[in-house]
Amino acid sequence: MANPEVHHLFHNPIADHSFSADQQTLVVARDTSVELYGRSGSSFKLQDELKGHDKTVTSVDIAPSTGRIVTCSQDRNALVWEPSPTGYKPTLVLLRISRAATFVRWSPNESKFAVGSGDRLIAVCYFEEENDWWVSKHLKKPIRSTITSVDWHPNSVLLAAGSTDAHARVFSSYIKGVDQRPEPTVWGDRLPFNTVCGEFLNNSAGWVHSVAFSPSGDSLAFAAHDSSITVVYPSAPEQPPKAVVSISTQLLPFKSLIWRSEDEIVAAGYDCEAFRFQGGEGGWQLAGAVDTRGPSAAGGEQREESALKMFKQMDLKGKGKDDTQLKTVHQNTITMIRPYQSSGSGVAKFSSSGVDGRVVVWTI
Amino acid sequence: MSIIQQHSNATLGDAWRTINIDALTEDSSVNFDTSTLHPPQPEISEADARQINTQVRQLLRGGDAEGALRGCLDTPVYNGSEAAKDAHLQTITEVLQSIKASEMSPLLKSIYSSEGGNEALDVLMKYIYKGMGAGAPKVSRTPSGVTPQSTGGFSQVGGRPGSNEPTGAAMSVLLSWHEKVVDVAGLGCIGRTMTDWRRV
C-alpha cells in the first residue's frame, strides 16, 4: 500500500476533524477553539482560528457544497460558521439543551444538521427563513443516555444514533416544509418526526461509540465498547431484521467506523490503528490491519545504528533501543475516521485523527 | 452585618454544588430502571446449578476436561440467587483447578475456534475475575474484640488476600488461567468483562 500522508498538527488531542470538498482546507477541533488549516504544498498551515465556544469543542463538520462549518461544544451551543470574504461569521443555533453537545453532522442535502447531546436527546436543526435563524426540534424518545455519534441516511431524513445506553437507533427526522417526502426504504415508508425505525443492541451491550449507514443506506453498522462491531440488515418496516451480525474481536474497542463499500468496513480506536472487516449478510470477519507495511516501516525511525551510538544510548538511558514510540503511525487513540476520497468501488482514501494531534490520510 | 454581606454569604456557599440534579430530573437515568433496556435472561436456580455441577464432575472423572469446561461455560448463571451464582463459581473453579498447566493453552484455543467459543471465553474471564474477588473480603475482616483503629491507609495486619494456603493456591491457578485466556482471546475479552451488563 502507499505510504500514508501524515500531518502532525500540534501536541493536543483532536476531538474531530473535517476536510472541505476540494481537500484544500482542514478544520480540527482543538480544545476550546476550532482551527482552520490550508494546504500549502504537501503540508497544512494554520490559517484561521474560529473562536466562539468557551468550553471544549466536541465535534466539527464542513458542508461539502455550501462550505458552511458547524461546530458544537460542551458549552451546550452549536455554531454555524458562514464563509464570507472577510472570514467566517458565526451564527448561534437555538439548541435548547441543558447538557454538553457531543456530536454534530450535516445531512447529505445540507439543509439540516443533527446535534447529539448529553441531555438524552438529538437536536435536529434547520434554518427558519422568516426569523432568519437556526432552530431545532428534539428527538427524545426513547433515548435513555448520552448520544455519542450520529450518522445520516443518504435520503437526509433517516438518522442513526449511538448512545451510552448501549443502543443504536434509527430515527426519522422528517421536518415539514424543509424535507421532501422520502422514497420508501427498508426502514419504513411513512415517517413522521421521531418515528423509531429500529432499535438494536448486541449481546454484551457495551455503550455505542460510532454508528454508520452503509453507502446504500440499507444496512447499519455500529461499534461498541465491548470491542465489537455489529451489522444490522433490516428486512421490512415493523419487521425484525433479516440478520444481525456481531463480531467480537481480540482488540481494544473501536471509536469510529466507516463503510468502504457494501461489503467492507474500516474501524479504528484504542489500538491506534485502523482495521478492515469484510463480509455480508452471511457473516463478517476481521480481515486485518489497514497498515500492512509491517511494524518496522510503520515505526518509521528504526534505522540501522552504529555500535558507538548503541553504547552511547545504553550509557545515557540504560537501554540500546529507543522504545518510547508505538509501532503504529498514530501514537495514541484514534478518535475519528472519515471518508476522504471515493472512487468507483467505494472509499479509496480515508482520514483519521486522534489524541496524538495527528491527521493521517490513508489509501486503502 | 450589611445586607450585601448577608446576601453574598448565602449565595457564595457551596452547598448547591452537592445537589444531585439528576435526582430532580424526572426522566433521568437515576429515576429509570435501566435493566428494562436489555432483554431478560433465563433464571437459573440453585438446584439447576448443583445439577450442572454433578454433570461436570462426571465429565471430569471421564477425563473429558474440555467437555466439562465447555459445559459449565455454556450455562452461566446471569439471573439467579447468590447461592446459585456461588455454586456455579465453585463448579468452574473445580474444573479450572483440575486441568494441568500444560493443557490450558491447547484447550482454550480449541474452545475459541469452535462455534460460540468467543462467548465462552468471555464467560470464563468473568468467572476468573469473580473468583479473584471472592476470596478477598473474608480474610481482611478485623476481629471484633480489638479496638477499632482507623489507619486509613494500607494495612498488612489483616493479611493479604491469598496469604493463607488454600486461597493462595486458588488465586495462582486463576492468575495463570487469566494469562492464558488473554493470550487466546485478547484484551477485548477483559473489556467485555467490564462492559457487559450480564453479571455472573
Side-chain angles (χ1 to χ4, degrees):
Chain A
M1 65 168 279
N3 276 0
E5 194 185 312
V6 184
H7 304 286
H8 194 180
L9 302 176
F10 40 74
H11 292 279
N12 281 69
I14 298 177
D16 196 1
H17 75 281
S18 182
F19 282 95
S20 63
D22 59 0
Q23 290 150 0
Q24 297 303 305
T25 312
L26 164 66
V27 200
V28 296
R30 176 190 189 176
D31 209 6
T32 59
S33 69
V34 177
E35 293 188 343
L36 205 84
Y37 287 82
R39 191 184 276 279
S40 65
S42 62
S43 67
F44 278 95
K45 289 254 156 22
L46 182 64
Q47 271 186 344
D48 199 0
E49 214 176 333
L50 310 181
K51 283 188 165 167
H53 290 292
D54 57 5
K55 290 245 166 31
T56 306
V57 178
T58 48
S59 189
V60 54
D61 197 26
I62 305 183
S65 59
T66 58
R68 285 178 183 142
I69 301 172
V70 62
T71 60
C72 72
S73 149
Q74 291 175 358
D75 64 11
R76 297 169 291 141
N77 290 322
L79 295 172
V80 176
W81 303 81
E82 198 90 37
S84 76
T86 54
Y88 282 89
K89 290 215 167 56
T91 321
L92 191 68
V93 183
L94 294 175
L95 286 184
R96 298 178 289 125
I97 55 175
S98 54
R99 296 292 163 89
T102 51
F103 203 86
V104 64
R105 284 294 178 266
W106 284 103
S107 66
N109 66 10
E110 299 175 22
S111 64
K112 298 186 291 188
F113 57 88
V115 183
S117 82
D119 207 13
R120 300 180 301 277
L121 58 84
I122 305 165
V124 179
C125 308
Y126 57 98
F127 193 73
E128 218 175 58
E129 292 290 348
E130 57 262 44
N131 294 318
D132 191 31
W133 63 19
W134 290 89
V135 291
S136 65
K137 264 184 105 167
H138 287 172
L139 287 170
K140 249 185 148 150
K141 269 185 174 170
I143 304 167
R144 299 308 320 187
S145 190
T146 303
I147 296 295
T148 51
S149 78
V150 297
D151 191 46
W152 286 94
H153 189 275
N155 71 5
S156 293
V157 168
L158 291 167
L159 183 71
S163 159
T164 51
D165 62 15
H167 285 70
R169 299 186 176 89
V170 177
F171 295 100
S172 160
S173 69
Y174 179 79
I175 288 167
K176 226 189 257 168
V178 178
D179 287 310
Q180 303 286 321
R181 253 186 87 90
E183 297 284 313
T185 63
V186 281
W187 300 101
D189 32 24
R190 252 196 89 252
L191 299 165
F193 189 77
N194 209 353
T195 311
V196 181
C197 306
E199 212 176 358
F200 313 100
L201 83 167
N202 62 9
N203 281 334
S204 54
W207 57 95
V208 177
H209 283 301
S210 183
V211 283
F213 277 111
S214 70
S216 66
D218 288 344
S219 40
L220 179 79
F222 61 95
H225 199 70
D226 55 1
S227 305
S228 72
I229 70 164
T230 304
V231 188
V232 181
Y233 292 91
S235 52
E238 313 281 326
Q239 298 291 314
K242 273 192 287 194
V244 179
V245 185
S246 194
I247 318 109
S248 305
T249 66
Q250 301 166 313
L251 306 162
L252 294 176
F254 304 108
K255 287 284 279 178
S256 185
L257 64 82
I258 53 170
W259 290 74
R260 186 189 172 206
S261 55
E262 291 292 332
D263 55 4
E264 189 166 335
I265 291 174
V266 177
Y270 291 102
D271 268 313
C272 312
E273 61 177 327
F275 293 90
R276 310 154 76 134
F277 291 85
Q278 282 163 345
E281 242 180 88
W284 282 78
Q285 61 273 338
L286 183 63
V290 169
D291 194 352
T292 51
R293 296 170 302 151
S296 58
E301 269 93 288
Q302 306 245 327
R303 266 172 271 110
E304 199 67 38
E305 287 182 1
S306 70
L308 175 69
K309 199 164 176 210
M310 189 184 88
F311 284 118
K312 232 178 191 168
Q313 287 283 326
M314 283 173 83
D315 184 34
L316 279 168
K317 297 177 180 167
K319 56 189 175 187
K321 273 228 170 71
D322 188 20
D323 55 357
T324 53
Q325 281 212 324
L326 293 181
K327 291 189 163 56
T328 50
V329 172
H330 276 284
Q331 292 295 304
N332 208 328
T333 304
I334 298 174
T335 49
M336 185 61 63
I337 57 174
R338 281 167 169 269
Y340 180 80
Q341 205 178 75
S342 292
S343 67
S345 63
V347 177
K349 289 182 174 189
F350 71 93
S351 59
S352 63
S353 66
V355 180
D356 57 350
R358 285 178 176 82
V359 173
V360 182
V361 178
W362 304 85
T363 313
I364 318 179
Chain B
M1 195 189 277
S2 78
I3 194 150
I4 295 170
Q5 202 179 349
Q6 261 179 27
H7 186 72
S8 58
N9 276 349
T11 48
L12 287 178
D14 52 7
W16 57 274
R17 284 182 180 276
T18 60
I19 298 173
N20 181 6
I21 55 164
D22 279 325
L24 302 173
T25 320
E26 205 172 289
D27 56 351
S28 87
S29 50
V30 282
N31 295 324
F32 179 79
D33 181 12
T34 44
S35 66
T36 56
L37 289 172
H38 311 294
Q41 293 290 321
E43 192 167 336
I44 294 175
S45 70
E46 198 184 340
D48 295 336
R50 300 237 175 269
Q51 201 188 337
I52 294 165
N53 189 335
T54 28
Q55 284 170 2
V56 164
R57 276 191 183 162
Q58 265 168 11
L59 283 170
L60 269 185
R61 247 179 271 131
D64 183 6
E66 186 180 337
L69 186 57
R70 195 61 207 253
C72 42
L73 294 183
D74 283 344
T75 50
V77 183
Y78 286 137
N79 185 9
S81 63
E82 279 306 309
K85 289 185 169 191
D86 285 343
H88 202 68
L89 172 65
Q90 192 64 39
T91 312
I92 290 186
T93 323
E94 272 173 40
V95 176
L96 293 183
Q97 280 169 344
S98 68
I99 296 170
K100 282 202 281 295
S102 57
E103 289 169 6
M104 289 177 180
S105 288
L107 196 147
L108 288 172
K109 274 180 198 141
S110 110
I111 291 185
Y112 189 72
S113 54
S114 65
E115 178 88 10
N118 201 329
E119 181 88 26
L121 290 197
D122 288 351
V123 173
L124 177 57
M125 190 54 115
K126 285 179 203 168
Y127 277 103
I128 289 175
Y129 276 112
K130 188 181 167 80
M132 287 178 180
K138 283 171 204 148
V139 279
S140 62
R141 198 170 293 156
T142 43
S144 54
V146 184
T147 356
Q149 284 184 323
S150 172
T151 54
F154 177 73
S155 156
Q156 286 187 313
V157 185
R160 293 190 301 277
S163 60
N164 56 346
E165 214 40 60
T167 13
M171 201 61 81
S172 80
V173 170
L174 290 177
L175 269 175
S176 52
W177 272 101
H178 183 273
E179 185 191 345
K180 297 288 189 321
V181 175
V182 172
D183 281 346
V184 175
L187 292 173
C189 181
I190 299 179
R192 281 189 285 278
T193 305
M194 291 192 285
T195 55
D196 204 329
W197 57 275
R198 296 170 298 179
R199 303 287 153 129
V200 292

